[in-house]
Amino acid sequence: MAQPIAGIQKGCALECRGVTYRLPSGTALVSDLNLTVARGETLVLLGRSGSGKTTTLKLFNRLLEPSDGEIFIAGRPSSAWDPIQLRRGIGYVIQDAGLFPHWSVERNVALVPQLEHWPEERIRARVKEMLELVGLPPAEFATRRPSELSGGQRQRVGVARALAADQPILLMDEPFGALDPVTRAELQREFRVLASRLEKTIVFVTHDVREALFLGTRIALLAGGRLAGVHAREEFLNATEPEVRAFVASLQLSRGDEEVR
Amino acid sequence: MNWYDFLLRNRGEVLERTAEHIGLVAAAMAIALAIGLPLGIALVRRVTLQRWVLAVANVVQTIPSLALFGFLIPVPWIGGVGASTAIVALALYALLPILRNTCTGITGVDAAVIESARGMGMTPQQVLWQVELPLAAPVLLAGIRVATVISVGITTIAAAIGAGGLGVFIFRGVAMVNNQVILAGAIPAALLAVLADFGLGVVQRRLATR
């Protein structure tokens, strides 16, 4: 088993207290955000483009620093963490995976263990384990380049990379957004199983309500940089906030309601 | 007497001048790389400053080479007649393609790749050495290739200020009105440029398909 990285314990929580993020020009992308992510849950940040979802996510791993308010990671203010150590304890998956094109799949997955100076054999064993976990047989995929993979396979490698050092926290920014519907559904199903098994604290950004309902234990709806409401998955469809109603209505315009329940 | 008879008969001096020529190019490229690479890397995220520095390098590039040699001769320390002045001028010419390609090469690296590198906990140094520079390498090398070929060409003119090199034959041949002497300098110089271009091209393609 991997040791906790940078002292981030398993099953820790994340919290935003009065967090505002402003651009140098003064425009606020996120305003007065109060939000808690409980240990082991998958919190979905749902919202339209430009609602501040990605900004919020980047505040958690200190790719951005809040202009006001504070973020707590495992009970400690984010500003008290060393940003590099903090990020190594937080898995990060983005759209198109962001794999290093000049590295093999194996080396991509080994990134954080390597940064953390794990012994060579342990890294090799871990990479193998991770590739199997995400459904890519190591014998076939380990030595490939990202350019030799399909979109879905790349995204699987992205997930394997984010899990490789057994990071207790996982941040995912529309990880399945660029995939075709069939592959997306497949990855969503597998990811749900994985999430329930791994006991990670996950923050998942999407603009797709159906994905939010399928993966989230709770759903936080962002609109114009503000929190419009946080609901458990079961309550979301009956919520009364107008922003939530708008999203639910968009769901009813399309088909496939039974899949939602 | 044919030009290659002349070449064969004087192969001692031809080789010596060729070595001199390569030495001038190598020295100038070493200086241009030592300045251009770090400066280019430092300028990647300073957009305004980058524009100014590239504009200045661009102006230097447009100065005719003989005029630039002329400008440098009266400058104390580096100036005077001889190889050192020529090397400074050649380095100045090589600087622009190296600077420009360092900047554009690193700027052109996929933003998502850099973001995930930072997000996974790589230090800025690790991002630079393990991600940005390897991915920018083909573009960087294209700049080095252009700079090298330009240097090989301009070095022939450096003979005019007593720096040596294959240009010595060309100027001597012009003065003697002797085509054989001209060609004894011109042909090896042209070959050198073609070889440098081809060799670095092969390396560049190998980097690009890696």
Side-chain angles (χ1 to χ4, degrees):
Chain A
M1 259 330 270
Q3 297 145 352
I5 291 186
I8 304 179
Q9 297 301 325
K10 261 203 153 169
C12 65
L14 306 174
E15 191 185 351
C16 294
R17 277 189 213 158
V19 168
T20 296
Y21 177 78
R22 267 183 233 99
L23 293 175
S25 65
T27 318
L29 296 184
V30 171
S31 310
D32 195 28
L33 191 71
N34 289 292
L35 186 67
T36 322
V37 190
R39 43 177 57 200
E41 83 165 329
T42 302
L43 181 94
V44 172
L45 290 175
L46 179 68
R48 302 164 63 161
S49 313
S51 59
K53 315 179 291 277
T54 297
T55 307
T56 308
L57 202 69
K58 287 183 182 174
L59 288 164
F60 283 124
N61 63 3
R62 292 192 69 181
L63 285 176
L64 299 174
E65 302 287 350
S67 318
D68 272 314
E70 232 170 350
I71 290 181
F72 291 82
I73 289 141
R76 250 173 90 187
S78 68
S79 52
W81 293 96
D82 170 60
I84 300 297
Q85 285 303 311
L86 178 72
R87 289 175 197 152
R88 289 184 190 172
I90 301 180
Y92 189 45
V93 187
I94 58 177
Q95 197 173 337
D96 298 324
L99 299 178
F100 300 168
H102 57 308
W103 286 10
S104 66
V105 164
E106 193 171 30
R107 208 170 157 203
N108 267 289
V109 174
L111 175 63
V112 180
Q114 211 159 44
L115 292 175
E116 287 290 293
H117 305 294
W118 288 19
E120 204 58 49
E121 333 68 271
R122 188 166 156 223
I123 294 181
R124 215 168 305 123
R126 184 68 181 171
V127 168
K128 200 160 161 271
E129 187 189 339
M130 286 302 104
L131 286 177
E132 273 157 9
L133 186 74
V134 298
L136 298 173
E140 189 183 340
F141 289 96
T143 56
R144 288 206 197 171
R145 289 294 167 100
S147 59
E148 298 165 322
L149 302 175
S150 69
Q153 289 165 343
R154 271 203 287 277
Q155 219 44 265
R156 285 166 196 267
V157 176
V159 172
R161 180 174 67 172
L163 298 172
D166 202 18
Q167 292 93 328
I169 302 168
L170 206 51
L171 303 178
M172 308 187 82
D173 193 353
E174 305 206 25
F176 310 137
L179 303 176
D180 69 79
V182 180
T183 310
R184 189 189 308 150
E186 193 178 295
L187 260 74
Q188 284 168 346
R189 267 197 305 278
E190 289 178 28
F191 182 72
R192 190 159 81 158
V193 175
L194 217 60
S196 64
R197 223 175 76 197
L198 294 174
E199 298 165 15
K200 309 260 177 193
T201 304
I202 302 171
V203 184
F204 192 105
V205 162
T206 184
H207 56 234
D208 179 351
V209 212
R210 206 165 300 150
E211 185 169 68
L213 287 163
F214 186 67
L215 295 176
T217 38
R218 284 191 308 148
I219 297 163
L221 187 75
L222 283 168
R226 291 178 183 279
L227 197 61
V230 189
H231 299 279
R233 179 203 337 233
E234 306 77 37
E235 296 161 8
F236 186 80
L237 290 175
N238 303 316
T240 51
E241 291 96 342
E243 293 90 350
V244 179
R245 303 289 336 145
F247 261 96
V248 173
S250 80
L251 189 64
Q252 279 149 359
L253 283 177
S254 54
R255 301 185 48 183
D257 290 307
E258 54 275 80
E259 187 192 316
V260 160
R261 293 187 196 103
Chain B
M1 192 165 64
N2 239 323
W3 66 268
Y4 52 81
D5 286 335
F6 177 89
L7 227 150
L8 277 178
R9 201 163 307 162
N10 296 280
R11 61 180 176 274
E13 201 195 348
V14 171
L15 281 177
E16 193 185 315
R17 293 298 180 197
T18 307
E20 229 169 42
H21 204 101
I22 293 171
L24 288 170
V25 171
M29 284 303 295
I31 294 171
L33 283 170
I35 297 171
L37 282 179
L39 187 59
I41 290 166
L43 288 175
V44 167
R45 274 171 250 302
R46 298 179 175 88
V47 182
T48 327
L49 192 60
Q50 181 188 330
R51 207 173 305 139
W52 280 99
V53 172
L54 287 180
V56 170
N58 222 334
V59 169
V60 171
Q61 190 90 11
T62 55
I63 301 174
S65 46
L66 209 47
L68 186 59
F69 290 138
F71 282 134
L72 287 175
I73 287 174
V75 176
W77 302 108
I78 54 165
V81 168
S84 64
T85 308
I87 289 170
V88 171
L90 289 167
L92 283 173
Y93 278 115
L95 206 53
L96 176 70
I98 290 174
L99 260 180
R100 194 181 38 210
N101 284 43
T102 306
C103 290
T104 52
I106 294 178
T107 313
V109 175
D110 187 356
V113 171
I114 301 205
E115 196 200 291
S116 69
R118 293 182 60 218
M120 300 296 289
M122 289 180 112
T123 63
Q125 290 294 315
Q126 288 167 334
V127 175
L128 177 68
W129 288 99
Q130 297 184 34
V131 181
E132 290 179 314
L133 284 178
L135 288 175
V139 180
L140 263 166
L141 211 85
I144 294 172
R145 183 178 169 192
V146 169
T148 308
V149 173
I150 291 175
S151 295
V152 171
I154 295 177
T155 300
T156 53
I157 301 167
I161 59 160
L166 287 161
V168 170
F169 287 114
I170 300 174
F171 284 106
R172 191 190 297 161
V174 171
M176 293 162 65
V177 201
N178 184 333
N179 286 345
Q180 284 148 20
V181 181
I182 294 178
L183 288 173
I187 288 172
L191 276 176
L192 219 51
V194 171
L195 274 176
D197 189 52
F198 177 77
L200 289 169
V202 169
V203 180
Q204 188 189 339
R205 266 188 301 279
R206 195 159 300 166
L207 281 177
T209 53
R210 232 185 7 172

